[in-house]
Amino acid sequence: MRTILNVIWLVLAGIWLAIGYVIAGIICCVLIVTIPFGIASFRIAAYALWPFGRTVERDPDAGAMSTIGNVIWLVFAGWWLALGHVITAIPLFLSIIGIPLGVANIKLIPVSLLPLGARIVDS
């Protein structure tokens, strides 16, 4: 079932989300200071491609720099991304077939809000 949902997700939403996150990652890698944000964007892009059967886990060893980076990310990009995920999840929830895809979209919100210090693991 995970594979079927992942393929449907990939065709309908995942490829576009992943492309957006990869473009953001490339832009973030232009400056040396923002490379950690670019790496986080690439990690989110991989998660956006194949979200079913995976989950986000906080790294307990993430330090203060991760927290500071997450605050910067939240102010400049995170809340926009989370709002975009909520807005795109609403129409998915309105259709019967789209409900699991809406859940996957909501599942992307925590990592899009605070990407530094997060690991994506198989569930």
Side-chain angles (χ1 to χ4, degrees), residues 1 21 37 51 56 72-73 76 85-86 104-106 117 119 121:
M1 190 64 166
Y21 279 114
F37 300 116
V56 176
I72 294 169
W73 176 274
F76 290 105
H85 285 297
V86 168
N105 218 345
I106 296 297
R119 291 185 294 197
V121 296

Side-chain angles (χ1 to χ4, degrees), residues 50-63:
W50 212 253
F52 294 98
R54 298 163 80 188
T55 184
V56 176
E57 184 178 278
R58 288 279 149 206
D59 187 7
D61 296 330

Side-chain angles (χ1 to χ4, degrees), residues 1 5 9 14 17 20 28 31 34 40 42 44 52 59 65 76 78 80-81 85 93 96 98 100 113 117 122-123:
M1 190 64 166
L5 285 172
W9 169 264
L17 281 171
C28 286
L31 298 174
T34 56
F42 295 139
I44 297 170
F52 294 98
D59 187 7
M65 292 306 287
F76 290 105
W80 286 101
L81 293 169
H85 285 297
F93 281 125
I96 301 298
L113 277 174
D122 294 330
S123 37

Side-chain angles (χ1 to χ4, degrees), residues 8 11 21 23-24 27 32 34-35 41-42 50 60-62 70 80 93-94 99-100 103 107 109:
I8 294 170
V11 171
Y21 279 114
I23 290 170
I27 291 169
I32 293 173
T34 56
I35 287 177
S41 274
F42 295 139
W50 212 253
D61 296 330
N70 276 332
W80 286 101
F93 281 125
L94 294 176
I99 291 173
V103 170
K107 217 169 84 167
I109 291 175

Side-chain angles (χ1 to χ4, degrees), residues 12 24-26 42-43 48 60 63 67 74 78 82 89 91-92 102 106-107 109 116:
L12 296 178
I26 291 169
F42 295 139
R43 199 172 36 241
T67 304
L74 181 67
L92 290 171
I106 296 297
K107 217 169 84 167
I109 291 175
L116 302 176

